[in-house]
């Protein structure tokens, strides 16, 4: 590692682990300028056959994990009057696919949370943005668990076969040269970090978009109009402190 990089272990599903890691970084470095929330797991299968516990496991990492880390970092950013939080969501947080139901739910949750938070912390000088990757050949597919409610799968035999074939085809594609490379996501993080304060787009789609770009174009103005209707226009721009 570079002398300028220090690796700290942190479990985003554990309150104490997050607090200890973030407080240790702040005590040593003085402040945190940029937070990238990127931890995630993904289960793909027959949605009805996933148990409540399996749905919770994904929420605990993908959604509650982001809340834990964000709440640990935000006080120091608000005190400094500046900061950038990049939440990694997904195109699956804008459009839903069959077999991704419980995963879709976590990413839709992050989208809603981050959009509201963006408005609330903007007057304090903190920017909240989202990066929405399409499918990439990372270790995410390795986190897939089989459906726990196996008795339900008996009623979905044909659909389960379709799911299996789809995953195989998907995995093969991600290992081809034509598949988008994960470096594109890293580049998006860097580009956002280097942009001038107040100029960053709310959402950045990376890779195969499956309609997410169009979805963002259509909905962001509607979303911002909600604040105008509530006479909360001052939350639309991040104040520079």
């Amino acid at each position: 590692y570079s002398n300028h990089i220090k690796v700290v272990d942190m479990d985003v599903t554990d309150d104490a682990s997050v607090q200890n890691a973030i407080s240790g970084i702040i005590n040593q470095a003085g402040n945190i300028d940029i937070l990238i929330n990127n931890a995630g797991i993904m289960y793909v299968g027959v949605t009805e056959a996933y148990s409540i516990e399996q749905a919770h496991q994904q929420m605990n990492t993908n959604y509650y994990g982001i809340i834990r880390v964000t709440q640990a970092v935000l006080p120091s950013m608000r005190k400094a009057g500046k900061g950038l939080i990049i939440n990694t969501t997904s195109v699956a947080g804008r459009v839903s696919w069959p077999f991704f139901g419980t995963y879709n739910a976590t990413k839709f949750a992050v989208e809603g949370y981050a959009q509201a938070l963006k408005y609330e912390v903007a007057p304090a000088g903190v920017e909240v943005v989202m990066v929405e990757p399409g499918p990439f050949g990372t270790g995410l597919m390795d986190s897939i668990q089989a459906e726990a409610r196996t008795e339900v799968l008996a009623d979905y035999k044909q659909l389960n076969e379709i799911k299996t074939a789809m995953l195989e085809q998907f995995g093969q594609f991600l290992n081809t040269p034509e598949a988008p490379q994960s470096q594109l996501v890293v580049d998006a993080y860097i580009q956002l970090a280097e942009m001038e304060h107040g100029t960053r787009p709310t959402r950045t789609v990376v890779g195969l978009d499956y309609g997410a770009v169009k979805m963002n174009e259509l909905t962001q103005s509607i979303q911002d109009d909600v604040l105008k209707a509530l006479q909360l226009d001052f939350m639309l721009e991040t104040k520079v402190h």
Side-chain angles (χ1 to χ4, degrees), residues 166-179:
M166 186 190 78
L167 281 177
E168 289 177 356
Q169 186 177 24
F170 209 52
Q172 291 171 2
F173 167 72
L174 291 177
N175 286 315
T176 65
E178 291 75 26

Side-chain angles (χ1 to χ4, degrees), residues 112-225:
Y113 173 78
Q115 181 70 71
L117 187 68
K118 176 183 179 67
Y119 294 139
E120 294 174 28
V121 299
V126 181
E127 284 192 280
V128 176
V129 299
M130 287 163 269
V131 169
E132 301 170 335
F136 285 90
T138 64
L140 186 60
M141 291 189 70
D142 295 334
S143 68
I144 295 175
Q145 279 190 12
E147 303 92 323
R149 303 180 70 218
T150 53
E151 71 282 3
V152 174
L153 292 179
D155 296 329
Y156 283 99
K157 184 176 180 181
Q158 184 178 8
L159 203 63
N160 196 41
E161 292 173 352
I162 294 172
K163 173 211 72 176
T164 301
M166 186 190 78
L167 281 177
E168 289 177 356
Q169 186 177 24
F170 209 52
Q172 291 171 2
F173 167 72
L174 291 177
N175 286 315
T176 65
E178 291 75 26
Q181 301 301 304
S182 55
Q183 180 63 40
L184 293 174
V185 181
V186 177
D187 293 342
Y189 292 149
I190 295 173
Q191 183 178 10
L192 286 166
E194 293 179 343
M195 291 179 73
E196 185 178 346
H197 192 83
T199 67
R200 299 177 177 100
T202 300
R203 291 173 172 83
T204 300
V205 179
V206 186
L208 302 173
D209 75 280
Y210 292 95
V213 171
K214 186 175 182 180
M215 182 79 75
N216 293 341
E217 292 173 349
L218 291 172
T219 60
Q220 191 59 53
S221 61
I222 298 172
Q223 174 66 64
D224 290 342
D225 283 345

Side-chain angles (χ1 to χ4, degrees), residues 59 63 92 100-110:
M59 277 289 184
Y63 177 50
F100 285 76
T102 53
Y103 177 71
N104 280 133
T106 68
K107 294 303 184 178
F108 271 74
V110 174

Side-chain angles (χ1 to χ4, degrees), residues 41-82:
I41 57 175
M42 176 178 71
Y43 301 165
V44 183
V46 175
T47 298
E48 186 187 347
Y50 277 114
S51 66
I52 296 294
E53 176 56 30
Q54 287 180 305
H56 174 71
Q57 289 166 2
Q58 290 179 96
M59 277 289 184
N60 200 22
T61 299
N62 299 2
Y63 177 50
Y64 303 141
I66 282 180
I67 296 178
R68 289 186 185 96
V69 181
T70 299
Q71 289 183 349
V73 170
L74 259 178
S76 64
M77 286 186 173
R78 288 189 286 102
K79 183 178 180 180
K82 62 179 181 178

